[in-house]
């Protein structure tokens, strides 16, 4: 997983919405979401002029987030006495995800983990680094189309502890969007609950080449 470039920290300036239902620390498992960066650029980043979408950025899978989940549904924006991470702490996540995104993910999801901001970001890093990105997708040099099951099977082959029910492939329109991997609270792979286990239904998806 290659280093992510900075994007404008506009997300850091967004107000925190009022806490939704959910108690910090009361959840069942995590979902680790990994975005296919060229697909995100095509759908969103190019229009925003995001620097990480520039030619030569070399990004493949980047971290979207680590989300506390219930067996059905999930909490968001939980009330917690823990402070937001410092600018230095979110900047330190730049090799995995954009710092502005790291702050946003803490506010939306990390506040529900029951952890401090530093502990949540450390747990996110540990989760991300526990997943091996399949070699064929590392620096993918050209656009390809393939069945979503091929992407899923590549992750299972690269990570033998994963079962088919622990990995979900999502798409947006015709393009690959994310890989979502379900983990226990101690970051051991586990099966996803039914509301997460909804794979892309397309016969084939587009994976744009790495820029």
């Amino acid at each position: 997983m290659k280093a992510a470039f900075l994007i404008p920290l506009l997300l850091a300036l967004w107000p925190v919405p009022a806490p939704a239902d959910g108690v910090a620390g009361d959840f069942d498992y995590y979902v680790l979401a990994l975005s296919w960066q060229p697909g995100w650029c095509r759908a969103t980043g190019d229009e925003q002029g995001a620097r990480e979408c520039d030619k030569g950025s070399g990004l493949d899978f980047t971290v979207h987030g680590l989300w506390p989940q219930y067996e059905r549904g999930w909490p968001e924006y939980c009330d917690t006495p823990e402070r937001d991470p410092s600018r230095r702490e979110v900047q330190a996540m730049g090799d995995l995800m954009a710092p502005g995104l790291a702050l946003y993910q803490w506010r939306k999801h990390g506040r529900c983990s029951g952890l401090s901001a530093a502990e949540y970001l450390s747990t996110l890093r540990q989760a991300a680094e526990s997943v091996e990105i399949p070699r064929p997708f590392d620096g993918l040099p050209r656009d390809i189309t393939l069945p979503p099951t091929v992407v899923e099977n590549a992750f299972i082959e690269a990570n033998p502890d994963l079962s088919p029910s622990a990995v979900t492939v999502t798409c947006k329109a015709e393009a690959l969007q994310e890989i979502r991997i379900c983990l226990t609270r101690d970051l051991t792979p586990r099966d996803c609950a039914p509301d997460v286990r909804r794979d892309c239904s397309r016969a084939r998806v587009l994976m744009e080449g790495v820029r």
Side-chain angles (χ1 to χ4, degrees):
M1 193 174 301
K2 299 181 175 67
F5 291 102
L6 302 182
I7 62 172
L9 294 179
L10 295 179
L11 289 173
L13 304 178
W14 288 8
V16 180
D21 290 341
V23 177
D26 180 16
F27 67 98
D28 297 310
Y29 70 104
Y30 287 113
V31 169
L32 173 67
L34 303 175
S35 295
W36 181 245
Q37 188 71 25
W40 179 82
C41 289
R42 177 177 183 267
T44 303
D46 288 340
E47 185 176 347
Q48 294 180 350
R51 288 181 57 195
E52 65 267 37
C53 296
D54 290 348
K55 185 176 180 180
S57 61
L59 300 176
D60 42 62
F61 282 101
T62 59
V63 176
H64 180 177
L66 182 68
W67 307 333
Q69 298 281 135
Y70 301 133
E71 294 297 340
R72 181 176 180 180
W74 58 89
E76 294 181 352
Y77 300 112
C78 296
D79 191 14
T80 177
E82 299 293 341
R83 64 168 179 81
D84 284 348
S86 67
R87 180 181 178 87
R88 181 177 181 178
E89 287 171 325
V90 295
Q91 291 284 355
M93 300 301 292
D95 61 320
L96 296 179
M97 63 199 301
L101 178 60
L103 177 57
Y104 177 72
Q105 290 295 309
W106 156 256
R107 288 176 170 176
K108 186 175 182 180
H109 299 287
R111 291 166 62 91
C112 297
S113 68
L115 303 173
S116 69
E119 290 169 336
Y120 171 72
L121 294 177
S122 176
T123 300
L124 187 156
R125 176 176 292 281
Q126 184 180 349
E129 292 179 348
S130 73
V131 175
E132 184 73 23
I133 303 302
R135 186 170 296 178
F137 305 144
D138 184 12
L140 184 69
R142 59 183 176 83
D143 296 358
I144 60 173
T145 59
L146 69 173
T149 53
V150 172
V151 182
E152 178 178 299
N153 289 338
F155 269 84
I156 293 170
E157 183 176 345
N159 300 272
D161 289 343
L162 295 179
S163 71
S165 295
V167 184
T168 296
V169 179
T170 71
C171 55
K172 188 171 185 179
E174 76 277 15
L176 176 72
Q177 182 183 34
E178 290 188 340
I179 303 298
R180 296 176 181 175
I181 296 172
C182 295
L183 304 167
T184 66
R185 292 177 61 127
D186 63 2
L187 304 184
T188 301
R190 56 151 280 174
D191 289 353
C192 301
D195 62 342
V196 173
R197 200 163 61 239
R198 296 176 181 173
D199 285 318
C200 173
S201 61
R202 296 183 65 89
R204 301 180 71 85
V205 292
L206 167 69
M207 291 186 73
E208 290 199 3
V210 169
R211 301 185 177 191

